[in-house]
Amino acid sequence: MEWLIIIFVLIFVSAPVMWLKPSPRQKRQGVLRNCAAEYGISVKLEKPPLHHFKGLMPAYRWYYPQAAPGPDFLLVRDSNASSALERYCAGWRWRIAPLRPLPQAAEQNLKELLERLPQDALVVESSSTGLALWWWESQTAERLRVYAAAFDQLRSELGGLADDPIQKGFDAPNRDASPVP
């Protein structure tokens, strides 16, 4: 009887430890996020720019150099987009289209990248600070390396194409204004 009590106590004590052990999916995500960090990709859990979405989603960001901000646009996978949005390429729609046309090389690379992304990639966003991929991390670290190279190339092609290239600070003088008497 004493042995049964000892075994029960050991099981009772070790059960919470087993719950803390990461699952195979969590281990894969950890390797994936470490690989992303090695490539200089920022990974954060954030609310994605999707309507009626509750919760958080991993966002992988490739930052533009500070001296070369990028254009603003937002592409959404058809499965999460309204049919009223303008089609861009197979499976993707513009939620926010760029103000100026993208250079031909950047446009071609963007389309090729969108065709290769996994089905759980829902949003590709560009802002003045960087490119972002919103996805559920279904791929392995080896596959991320391919996407990282393509996003790096796209980032270098889009860098410096900001919608508002000249941003004046509050202390910058307004050279267009006439002096006030």
Side-chain angles (χ1 to χ4, degrees), residues 63-161:
Y63 288 102
Y64 292 117
Q66 203 169 21
D72 293 329
F73 64 79
L74 182 67
L75 285 158
V76 180
R77 190 170 289 280
D78 273 343
S79 61
N80 293 79
S82 165
S83 60
L85 297 177
E86 179 186 351
R87 284 194 183 277
Y88 176 61
C89 66
W92 293 88
R93 294 178 181 266
W94 289 116
R95 165 116 0 112
I96 300 171
L99 291 178
R100 291 184 287 278
L102 299 176
Q104 181 131 11
E107 179 117 15
Q108 183 64 30
N109 287 333
L110 177 59
K111 285 182 179 180
E112 289 173 6
L113 177 62
L114 292 173
E115 290 172 4
R116 290 190 335 228
L117 287 176
Q119 288 298 311
D120 67 334
L122 302 181
V123 176
V124 174
E125 176 185 28
S126 177
S127 66
S128 61
T129 57
L131 280 168
L133 169 65
W134 302 81
W135 68 314
W136 290 115
E137 302 174 313
S138 65
Q139 303 288 310
T140 62
E142 291 77 30
R143 190 71 181 146
L144 177 64
R145 289 184 179 100
V146 175
Y147 299 138
F151 270 100
D152 280 339
Q153 181 178 358
L154 185 62
R155 176 183 58 184
S156 67
E157 292 170 348
L158 294 176
L161 299 176

Side-chain angles (χ1 to χ4, degrees), residues 22-29:
S23 69
R25 181 173 189 257
Q26 290 170 330
K27 288 179 186 177
R28 185 183 50 77
Q29 284 177 335

